[in-house]
Amino acid sequence: MKRSLLNVLIAAGLLAEIAGCAQIKRPAVQVKAAAVGSPFNQSGWVSLYAGEPCAPQIMFDFHGTRSMVSLAAPRRETEILTDAAKKNRRVHVLGKWRGGGQSNCSYVQVTSAE
């Protein structure tokens, strides 16, 4: 009985040590939004939006260099961005900054994706 308890304690200690060494992935920094109507022109990766967006149009997260931007896109560009997200490919996105209903809600309305 004492030996099995000792084994459990050793295993728990090892798991705690391993968990302490794990790298914590920091979320990308949200880009400070430009003025509404300002142009957006960047290359990076996209992923499907995870969570509850601040505007119903938002469907994608754009990951540029050390930054993240929410994207909304019309149908043709949505197909391109969805394919890029599934295949983990870089995309070049052109668009305009928009503001959502909330004061801290800003996103890019995509006009072109390639």
PDB file of all heavy atoms in Angstrom, residues 7-20:
ATOM      1  N   ASN A   7       4.490   5.569  -5.438  1.00  0.00           N
ATOM      2  CA  ASN A   7       4.524   5.612  -6.912  1.00  0.00           C
ATOM      3  C   ASN A   7       3.587   6.679  -7.459  1.00  0.00           C
ATOM      4  O   ASN A   7       3.925   7.390  -8.405  1.00  0.00           O
ATOM      5  CB  ASN A   7       4.183   4.242  -7.500  1.00  0.00           C
ATOM      6  CG  ASN A   7       5.307   3.248  -7.329  1.00  0.00           C
ATOM      7  OD1 ASN A   7       6.452   3.621  -7.124  1.00  0.00           O
ATOM      8  ND2 ASN A   7       4.967   1.961  -7.406  1.00  0.00           N
ATOM      9  N   VAL A   8       2.407   6.803  -6.871  1.00  0.00           N
ATOM     10  CA  VAL A   8       1.446   7.818  -7.302  1.00  0.00           C
ATOM     11  C   VAL A   8       2.007   9.209  -7.045  1.00  0.00           C
ATOM     12  O   VAL A   8       1.910  10.101  -7.899  1.00  0.00           O
ATOM     13  CB  VAL A   8       0.083   7.625  -6.589  1.00  0.00           C
ATOM     14  CG1 VAL A   8      -0.826   8.808  -6.817  1.00  0.00           C
ATOM     15  CG2 VAL A   8      -0.580   6.345  -7.065  1.00  0.00           C
ATOM     16  N   LEU A   9       2.605   9.424  -5.899  1.00  0.00           N
ATOM     17  CA  LEU A   9       3.181  10.734  -5.577  1.00  0.00           C
ATOM     18  C   LEU A   9       4.342  11.074  -6.508  1.00  0.00           C
ATOM     19  O   LEU A   9       4.481  12.215  -6.954  1.00  0.00           O
ATOM     20  CB  LEU A   9       3.643  10.771  -4.122  1.00  0.00           C
ATOM     21  CG  LEU A   9       2.530  10.785  -3.073  1.00  0.00           C
ATOM     22  CD1 LEU A   9       3.120  10.685  -1.668  1.00  0.00           C
ATOM     23  CD2 LEU A   9       1.684  12.023  -3.211  1.00  0.00           C
ATOM     24  N   ILE A  10       5.178  10.105  -6.820  1.00  0.00           N
ATOM     25  CA  ILE A  10       6.298  10.337  -7.740  1.00  0.00           C
ATOM     26  C   ILE A  10       5.769  10.678  -9.127  1.00  0.00           C
ATOM     27  O   ILE A  10       6.234  11.618  -9.777  1.00  0.00           O
ATOM     28  CB  ILE A  10       7.242   9.120  -7.779  1.00  0.00           C
ATOM     29  CG1 ILE A  10       7.991   9.006  -6.452  1.00  0.00           C
ATOM     30  CG2 ILE A  10       8.223   9.210  -8.949  1.00  0.00           C
ATOM     31  CD1 ILE A  10       8.818   7.741  -6.297  1.00  0.00           C
ATOM     32  N   ALA A  11       4.767   9.922  -9.593  1.00  0.00           N
ATOM     33  CA  ALA A  11       4.180  10.190 -10.916  1.00  0.00           C
ATOM     34  C   ALA A  11       3.561  11.582 -10.963  1.00  0.00           C
ATOM     35  O   ALA A  11       3.720  12.318 -11.944  1.00  0.00           O
ATOM     36  CB  ALA A  11       3.143   9.129 -11.252  1.00  0.00           C
ATOM     37  N   ALA A  12       2.858  11.967  -9.907  1.00  0.00           N
ATOM     38  CA  ALA A  12       2.237  13.298  -9.862  1.00  0.00           C
ATOM     39  C   ALA A  12       3.309  14.380  -9.882  1.00  0.00           C
ATOM     40  O   ALA A  12       3.163  15.407 -10.559  1.00  0.00           O
ATOM     41  CB  ALA A  12       1.359  13.428  -8.624  1.00  0.00           C
ATOM     42  N   GLY A  13       4.389  14.161  -9.172  1.00  0.00           N
ATOM     43  CA  GLY A  13       5.481  15.135  -9.160  1.00  0.00           C
ATOM     44  C   GLY A  13       6.125  15.279 -10.527  1.00  0.00           C
ATOM     45  O   GLY A  13       6.446  16.382 -10.973  1.00  0.00           O
ATOM     46  N   LEU A  14       6.327  14.155 -11.214  1.00  0.00           N
ATOM     47  CA  LEU A  14       6.906  14.204 -12.555  1.00  0.00           C
ATOM     48  C   LEU A  14       5.992  14.935 -13.534  1.00  0.00           C
ATOM     49  O   LEU A  14       6.459  15.729 -14.349  1.00  0.00           O
ATOM     50  CB  LEU A  14       7.201  12.787 -13.058  1.00  0.00           C
ATOM     51  CG  LEU A  14       8.400  12.095 -12.404  1.00  0.00           C
ATOM     52  CD1 LEU A  14       8.482  10.644 -12.852  1.00  0.00           C
ATOM     53  CD2 LEU A  14       9.680  12.831 -12.725  1.00  0.00           C
ATOM     54  N   LEU A  15       4.703  14.661 -13.451  1.00  0.00           N
ATOM     55  CA  LEU A  15       3.756  15.353 -14.331  1.00  0.00           C
ATOM     56  C   LEU A  15       3.748  16.856 -14.066  1.00  0.00           C
ATOM     57  O   LEU A  15       3.693  17.658 -14.994  1.00  0.00           O
ATOM     58  CB  LEU A  15       2.344  14.782 -14.169  1.00  0.00           C
ATOM     59  CG  LEU A  15       2.116  13.413 -14.785  1.00  0.00           C
ATOM     60  CD1 LEU A  15       0.731  12.899 -14.426  1.00  0.00           C
ATOM     61  CD2 LEU A  15       2.297  13.461 -16.287  1.00  0.00           C
ATOM     62  N   ALA A  16       3.816  17.235 -12.817  1.00  0.00           N
ATOM     63  CA  ALA A  16       3.849  18.664 -12.476  1.00  0.00           C
ATOM     64  C   ALA A  16       5.116  19.313 -13.012  1.00  0.00           C
ATOM     65  O   ALA A  16       5.098  20.436 -13.519  1.00  0.00           O
ATOM     66  CB  ALA A  16       3.747  18.847 -10.966  1.00  0.00           C
ATOM     67  N   GLU A  17       6.244  18.608 -12.927  1.00  0.00           N
ATOM     68  CA  GLU A  17       7.517  19.127 -13.436  1.00  0.00           C
ATOM     69  C   GLU A  17       7.466  19.303 -14.953  1.00  0.00           C
ATOM     70  O   GLU A  17       7.904  20.314 -15.492  1.00  0.00           O
ATOM     71  CB  GLU A  17       8.651  18.180 -13.045  1.00  0.00           C
ATOM     72  CG  GLU A  17      10.023  18.684 -13.407  1.00  0.00           C
ATOM     73  CD  GLU A  17      10.434  19.874 -12.561  1.00  0.00           C
ATOM     74  OE1 GLU A  17      10.000  19.991 -11.414  1.00  0.00           O
ATOM     75  OE2 GLU A  17      11.221  20.692 -13.065  1.00  0.00           O
ATOM     76  N   ILE A  18       6.920  18.305 -15.641  1.00  0.00           N
ATOM     77  CA  ILE A  18       6.817  18.376 -17.103  1.00  0.00           C
ATOM     78  C   ILE A  18       5.892  19.521 -17.508  1.00  0.00           C
ATOM     79  O   ILE A  18       6.193  20.284 -18.418  1.00  0.00           O
ATOM     80  CB  ILE A  18       6.320  17.034 -17.681  1.00  0.00           C
ATOM     81  CG1 ILE A  18       7.405  15.976 -17.514  1.00  0.00           C
ATOM     82  CG2 ILE A  18       5.937  17.173 -19.152  1.00  0.00           C
ATOM     83  CD1 ILE A  18       6.944  14.567 -17.811  1.00  0.00           C
ATOM     84  N   ALA A  19       4.775  19.674 -16.825  1.00  0.00           N
ATOM     85  CA  ALA A  19       3.829  20.747 -17.148  1.00  0.00           C
ATOM     86  C   ALA A  19       4.467  22.114 -16.918  1.00  0.00           C
ATOM     87  O   ALA A  19       4.214  23.061 -17.658  1.00  0.00           O
ATOM     88  CB  ALA A  19       2.561  20.608 -16.310  1.00  0.00           C
ATOM     89  N   GLY A  20       5.328  22.216 -15.919  1.00  0.00           N
ATOM     90  CA  GLY A  20       6.003  23.485 -15.646  1.00  0.00           C
ATOM     91  C   GLY A  20       6.986  23.875 -16.727  1.00  0.00           C
ATOM     92  O   GLY A  20       7.284  25.044 -16.929  1.00  0.00           O
TER      93      GLY A  20
END
